[in-house]
Amino acid sequence: MRNNLRPASNEIAIASPFAVRSLSRAIIAMTAIGGLAACSADQNITSSARQQKPQETVASAPAFVYVSDSSGVNQLWQYSGGTSSRLTFSNSVDKDPHSAAGHLVFASYRDGDEEIYMGRNDLSGLKRLTTTAGEDEQPNLSPDASRIAFVSYRSGTPRIWVMDSTGANQTALETGSESYVPESAPSWSPNGSQLVYTSTRSGMSQVFVISAAGGTPVQLTHEMNGAFNPVWSVDGSQIVYVSVMGTPSLSAVTVATGETSDWVYDGAGIGQPSCTSAGCIAVEGAYGSNGSIVSIGQDLSTTILVDTPANETSPTLLVH
């Protein structure tokens, strides 16, 4: 049962076409919005305080890593203490960051093919983990940083794979789907026993939960226009995901019951959530060409943390 808290349909703007990779590449075939905003590659980005609540200052927001194209190509940036600074300088696309247990994993084209890399949160000890010809992306660390779930195209179709954080034991996750069915956006449960991901096995991209060892998945969403980018709540009882009824918004589904409810709405569209015990952040305008990083308050209001002429996407709260 859905608790409908969205504005009436005449109040919802029609969404712009989404970037295909942002809403599960190869699952939605829509035209990407192009364009790069120019900004100095070495310039620190000052955060905007628009919509800031008195009790929550921008400087007190938790640290996170995100992707920005302010240098002309997607690179990783780190936000801390109200200021952002560039973290990677590969001059090739770096993307899909995720942090757990003091470590950061991400995907990069720096060696010519999209592969997965891992280091500490400051990227010291950086190591390449995958070496296949097929693209490897969307890595997600287990809570103890010992395992990584990721999406690989090595079989020709994007599928969920798992490996040790050393890069050893790379194995396709057994999900019971036909090999041609795309899978995307894996995320570990807080206790590391399950994975949530999206799949088109039922026709449209929906959210599924499965044992981290593989097996028979349980479908949790039945969204008319699909469900995308799922992440777990801190206690593991719910999963937050992107739903698309007009403008993209955040919804939540209770794992035990399958009950869904609308969670956060933003007129510019909101997506790519990241949640830890420190709170939740997301991207306002996530599927256009000028995303901004926002925090989500206890009252479900949003506070802009990073808002520049560039496109900021894919935030991950740093976990130490």
Side-chain angles (χ1 to χ4, degrees):
M1 178 180 178
R2 177 180 293 279
N3 300 319
N4 190 357
L5 303 179
R6 285 198 181 95
S9 58
N10 61 352
E11 296 177 305
I12 299 177
I14 301 300
S16 299
F18 309 138
V20 175
R21 278 189 171 230
S22 298
L23 279 178
S24 300
R25 179 175 128 181
I27 295 178
I28 291 187
M30 293 185 177
T31 304
I33 298 178
L36 290 175
C39 186
S40 172
D42 298 318
Q43 174 184 351
N44 281 357
I45 298 177
T46 302
S47 305
S48 168
R50 182 156 51 96
Q51 298 181 6
Q52 182 177 318
K53 300 188 294 299
Q55 70 274 21
E56 181 183 7
T57 65
V58 171
S60 68
F64 57 87
V65 168
Y66 63 96
V67 175
S68 175
D69 65 7
S70 60
S71 67
V73 62
N74 282 341
Q75 295 282 276
L76 302 188
W77 289 67
Q78 179 171 329
Y79 172 100
S80 181
T83 302
S84 290
S85 57
R86 188 170 171 180
L87 188 60
T88 61
F89 296 83
S90 69
N91 295 318
S92 296
V93 170
D94 294 334
K95 58 192 282 288
D96 301 340
H98 183 252
S99 173
H103 289 78
L104 186 70
V105 67
F106 65 100
S108 177
Y109 285 90
R110 61 183 59 198
D111 289 319
D113 182 33
E114 189 174 21
E115 305 290 357
I116 293 173
Y117 297 77
M118 179 175 169
R120 298 178 184 89
N121 277 341
D122 62 0
L123 292 188
S124 61
L126 186 64
K127 179 183 178 182
R128 178 176 172 178
L129 300 182
T130 59
T131 57
T132 63
E135 295 180 338
D136 296 316
E137 61 179 14
Q138 301 175 44
N140 191 274
L141 279 165
S142 63
D144 63 0
S146 66
R147 299 277 286 161
I148 299 171
F150 62 102
V151 173
S152 180
Y153 286 72
R154 63 189 68 184
S155 67
T157 301
R159 302 283 290 190
I160 306 300
W161 283 63
V162 292
M163 64 178 168
D164 298 339
S165 59
T166 61
N169 299 315
Q170 297 182 24
T171 308
L173 186 71
E174 292 293 339
T175 61
S177 296
E178 297 292 341
S179 60
Y180 57 80
V181 174
E183 298 168 343
S184 187
S187 176
W188 295 84
S189 63
N191 65 8
S193 67
Q194 294 178 295
L195 286 164
V196 65
Y197 68 103
T198 60
S199 171
T200 62
R201 62 184 289 159
S202 59
M204 179 69 72
S205 176
Q206 302 293 347
V207 172
F208 292 80
V209 168
I210 192 170
S211 166
T216 302
V218 175
Q219 182 173 341
L220 292 181
T221 63
H222 299 81
E223 295 282 349
M224 181 182 302
N225 294 327
F228 311 90
N229 299 134
V231 297
W232 294 81
S233 64
V234 175
D235 63 3
S237 66
Q238 290 188 311
I239 290 167
V240 175
Y241 63 95
V242 178
S243 58
V244 188
M245 294 294 288
T247 301
S249 61
L250 298 180
S251 296
V253 57
T254 301
V255 177
T257 65
E259 181 179 7
T260 60
S261 59
D262 297 322
W263 192 49
V264 178
Y265 171 83
D266 186 292
I270 190 166
Q272 300 176 10
S274 174
C275 295
T276 70
S277 58
C280 291
I281 57 177
V283 179
E284 180 187 77
Y287 307 111
S289 59
N290 189 22
S292 302
I293 311 297
V294 299
S295 64
I296 299 171
Q298 292 184 352
D299 61 357
L300 303 186
S301 64
T302 58
T303 300
I304 291 182
L305 300 177
V306 182
D307 182 21
T308 78
N311 192 25
E312 280 83 42
T313 61
S314 306
T316 180
L317 287 161
L318 288 177
V319 180
H320 299 282

